[in-house]
Amino acid sequence: MITSCSSGSAPAGDAAADETTTTSSTPPPKPVSLTTGPADAAVDVAPGVPVVATATDGKITSVALTNPEGVAVAGRLSPDGLQWTNTEPLGYQKTYTLAVTGEGADGKPVTKSSTFTTVKPRTLTYLSVNPQDGTTVGVGQPLAFYFDEPIADKAAAEAMISITTEPRVEGAFYWFDEKTVHWRPQAYWAPGTKVTINAKIYGKHVGNGVYGEEDRLITTTIGDSVIHEADGQTHQVVTKVNGQVVRTMPTSMGNAENPTPTGVYVLTEKHAHMVMDSRTYGLSLEAGGYVTPVDWATRMSNSGIFFHSAPWSVGDQGNRNVSHGCLNLSPENAKWVFDNAKQGDVVIVTNSGGPELQPWDGFGDWQVPWDQWLKGNR
């Protein structure tokens, strides 16, 4: 009997049955997803808040934001095509239409449309700024902001005012009243510092239905450090420029009935000729007041303290205090101060026997201790 041999291999059909087959599938391409803001049918929209359109899983291909007259509002699409925002401000109390089209990986266009209406303000506020644009000021100059309406949301107002400096300087805001806020560093500015103020208040709410009227952009430079040290006991004014004594001048400060307040003053303005009238500061002629023409007047405070020429008191200058509070100088010295003074220069008055200068009197900002200034006085 002949017996056939087997190799032990399974039949081809059985081998195929033992193999495991894995099948993978690719998900379909996604359509673009578009988001826009403000929301559709939104009302009372602040025109200072940007209009933004964003694409996910695709790119924006076109945007049309139009005003009630059908005129397009200018905008900018990011280089990657993922976001668009307006570059032209919106108006108050207007209805806008937004149409955004995008395309996803599926190659299909998607359009999203909306309308919204901007707010009707109760009133607008204009912001004035000191120093003015393009100026060079002294090391004591605060950055002063004056709204022409009371500000209910002071934190919001501060957030709208961007202050950048070169080199970098840390500083803080401090409110003097409901309309006035100042910003300053902890110590005097360093000469040469470049300051840029970008107050983006237009279209933004500062509380109680008050909205910003106009943005402000101001650049200013800090000049040489000029500090006048006026001593009521020695009756001398020592002037230092960038730390070096450049002039010493005899002076006569306020008499015993009208002592010059002590503290740190900041020069604000100057007049070659002016009439000093005590009645503007509450002192009548009957009570010992005066109406006196003077030359070379450089203002130290809003309450009427000046450097000025006083030829009638030259004999007292350097010896005794006989003025109504001003710092009397000889005509020559008063003109020198006038010719060399710039807004923001510092005057430090000591030993006059007077009360302390009030922080709100002119730019008496340096009279507020830094730890108190940091609290903001909101």
Side-chain angles (χ1 to χ4, degrees):
M1 177 179 295
I2 301 172
T3 304
S4 63
C5 296
S6 172
S7 64
S9 297
D14 292 341
D18 288 342
E19 292 178 356
T20 301
T21 303
T22 301
T23 303
S24 60
S25 60
T26 301
K30 292 183 178 181
V32 67
S33 175
L34 301 173
T35 57
T36 60
D40 185 31
V43 295
D44 293 334
V45 173
V49 175
V51 179
V52 179
T54 303
T56 304
D57 297 322
K59 293 184 178 182
I60 294 172
T61 55
S62 68
V63 178
L65 175 63
T66 54
N67 65 17
E69 292 75 37
V71 178
V73 176
R76 177 182 179 274
L77 182 63
S78 62
D80 58 12
L82 298 181
Q83 188 175 84
W84 181 95
T85 187
N86 61 309
T87 55
E88 178 185 347
L90 305 182
Y92 285 109
Q93 200 179 358
K94 291 187 176 184
T95 298
Y96 291 86
T97 299
L98 177 65
V100 182
T101 300
E103 186 176 297
D106 61 357
K108 297 178 180 179
V110 173
T111 297
K112 183 173 184 178
S113 299
S114 63
T115 61
F116 60 89
T117 302
T118 55
V119 70
K120 178 183 179 180
R122 182 179 65 80
T123 190
L124 299 177
T125 183
Y126 183 80
L127 176 64
S128 300
V129 182
N130 192 343
Q132 296 184 352
D133 187 41
T135 55
T136 296
V137 296
V139 297
Q141 176 71 44
L143 308 180
F145 303 92
Y146 309 95
F147 294 90
D148 62 0
E149 293 288 339
I151 303 302
D153 192 341
K154 295 179 174 61
E158 291 177 18
M160 297 171 196
I161 303 173
S162 169
I163 297 165
T164 55
T165 64
E166 182 185 341
R168 181 176 173 82
V169 177
E170 296 294 334
F173 288 101
Y174 185 89
W175 290 82
F176 283 87
D177 56 43
E178 296 303 301
K179 300 180 181 181
T180 306
V181 61
H182 292 189
W183 189 100
R184 70 162 175 89
Q186 181 176 0
Y188 300 146
W189 298 93
T193 301
K194 307 291 185 183
V195 182
T196 300
I197 300 165
N198 192 0
K200 304 186 89 170
I201 71 166
Y202 172 77
K204 294 179 181 176
H205 191 215
V206 289
N208 198 27
V210 179
Y211 285 77
E213 181 176 346
E214 181 181 320
D215 291 346
R216 301 299 310 277
L217 180 62
I218 304 289
T219 60
T220 189
T221 302
I222 308 302
D224 287 338
S225 170
V226 178
I227 299 178
H228 305 278
E229 298 174 353
D231 190 320
Q233 286 185 345
T234 65
H235 310 289
Q236 302 290 321
V237 178
V238 177
T239 300
K240 296 178 180 177
V241 177
N242 297 327
Q244 301 298 312
V245 175
V246 298
R247 197 174 183 95
T248 299
M249 301 171 286
T251 190
S252 179
M253 296 189 193
N255 59 28
E257 291 75 29
N258 304 281
T260 306
T262 60
V264 179
Y265 296 74
V266 174
L267 300 184
T268 57
E269 62 180 6
K270 53 186 182 178
H271 305 273
H273 313 286
M274 70 176 295
V275 175
M276 307 203 76
D277 187 343
S278 67
R279 294 171 297 182
T280 63
Y281 309 118
L283 180 60
S284 68
L285 301 181
E286 296 76 11
Y290 54 89
V291 177
T292 306
V294 300
D295 298 329
W296 316 125
T298 305
R299 183 183 289 275
M300 296 167 49
S301 77
N302 286 349
S303 60
I305 306 299
F306 286 80
F307 279 125
H308 68 78
S309 172
W312 59 85
S313 72
V314 168
D316 297 304
Q317 293 166 26
N319 298 301
R320 61 190 64 83
N321 294 325
V322 299
S323 83
H324 283 87
C326 290
L327 274 63
N328 287 181
L329 298 172
S330 70
E332 178 188 0
N333 284 330
K335 187 174 189 305
W336 183 88
V337 170
F338 179 92
D339 287 343
N340 290 278
K342 62 183 176 298
Q343 178 181 311
D345 288 346
V346 174
V347 185
I348 303 173
V349 174
T350 58
N351 302 319
S352 66
E356 287 193 1
L357 174 69
Q358 294 298 313
W360 43 259
D361 189 358
F363 286 146
D365 301 52
W366 303 99
Q367 294 295 97
V368 180
W370 183 244
D371 58 349
Q372 180 181 337
W373 185 277
L374 285 174
K375 295 177 182 177
N377 198 34
R378 291 180 181 169

